[in-house]
Amino acid sequence: MSAVFRPSPSETEAVLIGALRPGERLERWQEQVLSARETRRVVRYHLRVGGREEQLIGKYYDQQATAQKTARVLAALASSGCQRRGNLLLPRVIAYHAPYRLLLLSDVPGQPVLPLLRGSGTTILAAAARALSAVHATPVMLDAVATPAALLADMRAQAEELARRVPAATPLLEPLLVRLGCEAPAAPEMPRLVHGDFGPAQLLWHEDRPAILDFDKATLGDPALDLGNLLAQLRRRTLLEPAAMPAHAPLRASVLAVYPGAAELGARIRWYEEVVLLRKAHFLMQQPRAALALLRSLGERHS
């Protein structure tokens, strides 16, 4: 794994100047670090250009391939008319600086979706589902394809670690792994563009339109993966944060009622949803009670 590059102020300024339109002059700038993970550093740049204020998002990646793929996906979405078809907002690629593995994007306006779900959840999620269908319909050339077999392999490795760290999870995990292995769907015959990590945390809400962010995990695969991931994240929050969330059933129904072909994808969506919930239980290993609550909810749905 490569280290995420951290440019000096003079290096940063040179990149920002290079990203300006012809004739524009950078008067001043400052940065606000939004995330400083090992694999990706995210910064908001506040610029004053030609007497006006602008904001850009800078993403520094540890892998050139991930940065270039993200830029390629966003460019394909922009050129396809996806935003118009799906009535959504997307980040726009401003520039890519390969030496620093830095992707500069427009700063998309909007409010985080999670705090809005209690009052407007069904409206927001219906709009998000329509927007997601437009993303799935966008043709783009990518090398990687997410398959149920690969997800199962990752899930089994995570389940083994969860069982070691939380022994009480073992009797819950064993029947889940058997059932999910038996019910695994076939790989899609015609893989389509999928977001790869679609959930409330990747959504903003602006003037009655959703904005979709963070296409770093975009790949080709089954559209049911994104739907299952969204529903799993909603269920996890409903189970673990009931005071902050509305009832799950109306939220789930609002998504499935508007996504084209959701009825035909029903069994596939449920399978991906359960795989993601199991993976979330692994993520919660440091909180054994929460991890066990998720696993029990999976068992109860099939008792």
Side-chain angles (χ1 to χ4, degrees):
M1 182 181 292
S2 303
V4 174
F5 190 81
R6 295 175 182 268
S8 67
S10 61
E11 290 171 325
T12 300
E13 184 168 307
V15 172
L16 294 174
I17 290 173
L20 297 179
R21 291 181 286 270
E24 290 185 327
R25 184 172 66 87
L26 180 63
E27 297 169 7
R28 65 172 183 268
W29 65 277
Q30 63 182 29
E31 68 176 29
Q32 173 190 3
V33 177
L34 303 178
S35 173
R37 297 183 303 185
E38 293 181 2
T39 58
R40 191 189 68 178
R41 181 170 182 262
V42 184
V43 178
R44 176 177 284 116
Y45 291 110
H46 300 266
L47 314 179
R48 185 170 179 83
V49 179
R52 69 179 187 279
E53 303 295 327
E54 289 191 7
Q55 293 185 351
L56 297 179
I57 297 296
K59 291 187 175 183
Y60 294 83
Y61 293 84
D62 69 329
Q63 296 291 332
Q64 191 91 257
T66 305
Q68 292 173 335
K69 177 198 71 175
T70 304
R72 187 161 65 251
V73 168
L74 288 172
L77 291 169
S79 64
S80 73
C82 177
Q83 294 188 84
R84 174 185 51 78
R85 289 184 288 107
N87 192 33
L88 76 153
L89 299 172
L90 292 166
R92 179 169 53 88
V93 177
I94 304 299
Y96 178 60
H97 189 71
Y100 301 166
R101 301 187 296 277
L102 167 61
L103 184 60
L104 284 173
L105 304 171
S106 61
D107 190 11
V108 181
Q111 297 176 266
V113 159
L114 276 172
L116 304 177
L117 289 181
R118 178 166 288 279
S120 306
T122 56
T123 298
I124 291 171
L125 292 174
R130 294 188 189 96
L132 183 62
S133 70
V135 170
H136 289 162
T138 300
V140 60
M141 295 295 293
L142 295 175
D143 295 328
V145 179
T147 65
L151 286 174
L152 270 175
D154 288 345
M155 180 190 67
R156 286 182 176 126
Q158 292 172 339
E160 289 176 4
E161 184 179 12
L162 177 58
R164 288 195 301 270
R165 299 284 294 274
V166 185
T170 300
L172 299 171
L173 284 168
E174 290 176 348
L176 282 174
L177 292 172
V178 170
R179 178 171 59 76
L180 290 172
C182 293
E183 296 177 356
E189 293 182 4
M190 298 181 63
R192 292 156 66 181
L193 174 65
V194 294
H195 182 279
D197 191 28
F198 190 72
Q202 285 69 45
L203 291 169
L204 299 176
W205 188 246
H206 179 68
E207 296 180 349
D208 296 330
R209 286 194 293 171
I212 304 179
L213 311 177
D214 295 334
F215 282 83
D216 297 355
K217 295 183 180 180
T219 185
L220 298 182
D222 188 342
L225 167 62
D226 280 342
L227 292 163
N229 195 76
L230 171 62
L231 296 175
Q233 294 198 42
L234 292 171
R235 179 168 290 280
R236 176 180 71 89
R237 291 187 177 274
T238 302
L239 285 168
L240 303 183
E241 306 169 33
M245 291 288 291
H248 179 72
L251 298 182
R252 181 187 182 88
S254 68
V255 171
L256 300 181
V258 301
Y259 185 90
E264 291 76 15
L265 292 172
R268 302 176 74 93
I269 293 170
R270 285 191 296 274
W271 187 84
Y272 284 109
E273 180 183 358
E274 295 190 347
V275 168
V276 173
L277 279 170
L278 197 153
R279 294 174 72 178
K280 293 296 182 184
H282 169 265
F283 180 76
L284 291 168
M285 286 187 303
Q286 302 298 330
Q287 304 173 51
R289 286 187 178 180
L292 291 171
L294 282 185
L295 293 176
R296 291 190 184 103
S297 74
L298 283 168
E300 289 168 358
R301 295 175 73 189
H302 288 267
S303 59

